[in-house]
Amino acid sequence: MKVAVVGATGLVGTVMLKVLEERNFPLTELIPVASEKSVGKEITFKGKKFPIVSMDTAISMKPDIALFSAGGNTSLEHAPRFKEAGTTVIDNSSAWRMDPSIKLIVPEVNAHELSIENKIIANPNCSTIQMVVVLKPLHDKYKIKRVVVSTYQSVTGTGVKAVEQMMNERKGIDGPKAYPYEIDLNVIPHIDSFTESGYTKEEIKMIKETNKIMSDDNIKVTATTVRIPVMGGHSESVNIEFENDFDLAEVRSILEKAPGIIVVDDVANLKYPMPKDAHQKDEVFVGRIRRDDSAPKALNLWIVADNLRKGAATNAVQIAEYLIQKELV
């Protein structure tokens, strides 16, 4: 099992390597790929050193699986080349997500859609992933009509430059800026670029990706995505309106039994999910579970997950694990 990690030196790429190691992924050969300036340098994986290779070299080595986290343009250019070499690509960028011919996969929700013909598979947006993991078991039981989500997203979702900006501001150091405003001691209601509708591309991703992953265009979704000065993970306030009424105890029971979810909901003892608790974890954490008394058949939830792990690297690795388990590679 040859596995290439494209973008191996980036923020998500380094987490992909960590997740592969932690989960003891059954690879026999690792092929780290990065930009030309990194070629020849070495990364360490399971105590062994592996040289970083170029894209052309990696393609010529014909890996079974290529985990991509190197940006949309790189994916559009090179994922088809890996596909032609017989490699199955799992891509973490937004490049292929809304292509009708490409599967958009969260294993707990729709891995069953995958077949051996799917040679390019899209990993959804981080904020979408954690939300649909929670929505799916509730939709199966009560049928979702509408979702209103506000996100509180970690600076790690922007990348290393954003983390450095926040830490520099915290220390009073002037340095390169990832955001148009200060992020430390501030909140920026703006993720990705604005569209003519007034929504940002991040908000539109959450809307369209949710419908595609859930295979249900009847679910109405509206989103406001916000960047906050934290590093552990993304948080979301989610309001769900159902077709059918629900029992709160049953909702908790459904979520506790659902794959990939940990319920942390004991307000009497001040127990609820926070980014620092989700940091470096693979599960999605849910709390503040309560009925919305302002609307019939409506529920409020608070959802938290590590955006670099379940929101990116872990989800991609879980897709790869599923492909191996079902002998689709």
Side-chain angles (χ1 to χ4, degrees):
M1 180 59 59
K2 283 194 217 174
V3 176
V5 175
V6 180
T9 58
L11 205 52
V12 174
T14 54
V15 178
M16 278 179 174
L17 292 166
K18 189 177 179 186
V19 171
L20 287 167
E21 187 167 333
E22 285 177 8
R23 293 173 76 92
N24 205 23
F25 189 87
L27 62 82
T28 53
E29 188 175 346
L30 176 69
I31 307 168
V33 187
S35 62
E36 289 296 332
K37 68 176 186 285
S38 296
V39 171
K41 295 178 182 175
E42 292 182 324
I43 59 125
T44 303
F45 180 81
K46 287 193 172 180
K48 295 181 185 173
K49 293 197 179 298
F50 292 84
I52 293 170
V53 302
S54 68
M55 201 74 74
D56 290 347
T57 300
I59 292 166
S60 72
M61 294 171 77
K62 298 191 173 181
D64 299 284
I65 294 170
L67 301 172
F68 262 67
S69 190
N73 291 334
T74 300
S75 296
L76 287 170
E77 182 180 352
H78 297 293
R81 298 179 64 211
F82 275 92
K83 177 184 173 181
E84 284 169 23
T87 301
T88 299
V89 173
I90 302 168
D91 179 47
N92 195 53
S93 80
S94 60
W96 304 97
R97 289 176 189 158
M98 296 316 299
D99 184 323
S101 68
I102 302 292
K103 300 292 185 188
L104 183 64
I105 299 295
V106 177
E108 294 90 340
V109 179
N110 63 340
H112 61 274
E113 294 179 6
L114 291 170
S115 71
I116 204 160
E117 282 77 38
N118 301 130
K119 287 304 195 186
I120 298 176
I121 300 163
N123 212 34
N125 187 42
C126 46
S127 46
T128 308
I129 289 173
Q130 67 187 69
M131 184 170 75
V132 297
V133 167
V134 175
L135 294 184
K136 177 66 166 77
L138 298 177
H139 183 55
D140 288 347
K141 180 67 179 176
Y142 307 114
K143 194 163 177 56
I144 296 171
K145 285 171 63 177
R146 183 169 184 255
V147 177
V148 181
V149 55
S150 297
T151 72
Y152 305 70
Q153 293 181 224
S154 162
V155 293
T156 57
T158 308
V160 173
K161 190 176 177 183
V163 175
E164 288 173 350
Q165 176 182 338
M166 184 180 77
M167 299 313 290
N168 282 341
E169 287 169 358
R170 198 155 286 185
K171 296 169 187 169
I173 299 168
D174 193 30
K177 301 275 192 275
Y179 303 118
Y181 301 102
E182 288 184 4
I183 183 60
D184 196 35
L185 298 177
N186 195 22
V187 164
I188 303 174
H190 166 198
I191 298 178
D192 210 327
S193 53
F194 281 98
T195 65
E196 287 182 5
S197 67
Y199 283 82
T200 66
K201 287 184 178 177
E202 181 85 355
E203 290 157 355
I204 292 167
K205 285 176 199 171
M206 288 197 77
I207 294 164
K208 292 185 173 179
E209 290 179 20
T210 298
N211 290 140
K212 182 172 178 178
I213 297 162
M214 302 281 284
S215 300
D216 192 339
D217 289 337
N218 292 320
I219 299 173
K220 304 300 180 190
V221 182
T222 188
T224 302
T225 58
V226 181
R227 190 71 68 188
I228 64 169
V230 302
M231 287 174 57
H234 291 349
S235 305
E236 298 171 347
S237 172
V238 182
N239 179 272
I240 310 165
E241 185 183 348
F242 297 107
E243 292 271 4
N244 304 304
D245 207 358
F246 58 88
D247 174 75
L248 271 182
E250 186 179 50
V251 166
R252 284 195 182 88
S253 176
I254 287 168
L255 294 175
E256 283 167 352
K257 292 172 185 170
I261 293 174
I262 293 177
V263 174
V264 183
D265 189 39
D266 179 9
V267 293
N269 292 300
L270 308 186
K271 301 290 186 187
Y272 31 71
M274 293 181 288
K276 72 180 192 66
D277 302 320
H279 186 48
Q280 297 188 350
K281 306 268 192 353
D282 290 330
E283 295 82 11
V284 175
F285 296 79
V286 189
R288 299 297 319 278
I289 302 166
R290 63 209 188 276
R291 190 176 282 276
D292 173 4
D293 293 327
S294 73
K297 304 171 191 170
L299 180 74
N300 285 310
L301 300 169
W302 177 252
I303 302 171
V304 181
D306 186 320
N307 54 294
L308 296 181
R309 290 186 68 107
K310 183 54 183 170
T314 301
N315 199 75
V317 172
Q318 286 174 321
I319 294 170
E321 288 170 343
Y322 182 88
L323 294 174
I324 293 169
Q325 179 196 339
K326 299 295 182 182
E327 299 181 351
L328 301 177
V329 287

